[in-house]
Amino acid sequence: QVQLLESGGGSVQPGGSLRLSCAASGGTFSTYCMGWFRQVPGKEREGVALIGIGNNGITSYADSVKGRFTISKDNAKDTLYLQMNSLKPEDTAMYYCAAVQWFCRPLRVASQWNSWGQGTQVTVSS
């Protein structure tokens, strides 16, 4: 089973940018659909974006981040990325990367994703 490790979180002011990374190991990276999720204490985990298998997989975004966030991956480096621009206070959350082999699961159904990282905190405040 693939193991995931997020990095790149931190504190920024509204309008700022961050780039999150997720390093994968222990699996065949190219066979996994990859996703980013976020969670605030007391609320359900929310799907942010996903990217399908292969070199240029299908991508999908939550409406709340569309046009501001970009998901991408580097198969040669076994690494997933989330570029976050124009950050808003409501983007503050713990961000997790996730994986499921072969076929993507809906972003709205976090329980169907099989592998998870430990999370990296993103805080947006003035």
Side-chain angles (χ1 to χ4, degrees):
Q1 187 174 357
V2 66
Q3 295 180 324
L4 308 172
L5 180 61
E6 303 96 331
S7 62
S11 297
V12 297
Q13 293 185 332
S17 297
L18 284 173
R19 190 191 194 195
L20 306 183
S21 298
C22 174
S25 62
T28 305
F29 184 71
S30 63
T31 69
Y32 286 86
C33 176
M34 304 295 297
W36 286 100
F37 295 76
R38 63 188 183 186
Q39 189 168 26
V40 175
K43 299 183 66 176
E44 292 186 338
R45 193 162 295 187
E46 175 190 20
V48 174
L50 64 79
I51 185 166
I53 64 172
N55 292 326
N56 294 290
I58 188 173
T59 59
S60 183
Y61 297 89
D63 288 342
S64 59
V65 307
K66 196 171 299 180
R68 299 188 297 121
F69 292 9
T70 302
I71 188 170
S72 63
K73 62 181 179 180
D74 188 335
N75 286 332
K77 297 180 179 179
D78 290 357
T79 302
L80 176 75
Y81 304 99
L82 184 67
Q83 179 66 48
M84 305 186 295
N85 298 326
S86 302
L87 283 162
K88 305 175 180 179
E90 53 261 44
D91 295 319
T92 296
M94 184 74 74
Y95 282 72
Y96 301 87
C97 64
V100 60
Q101 197 165 26
W102 300 118
F103 299 105
C104 297
R105 305 297 194 269
L107 285 170
R108 292 176 290 179
V109 190
S111 62
Q112 293 185 0
W113 295 71
N114 301 130
S115 301
W116 295 87
Q118 85 295 333
T120 185
Q121 179 67 38
V122 172
T123 301
V124 185
S125 65
S126 59

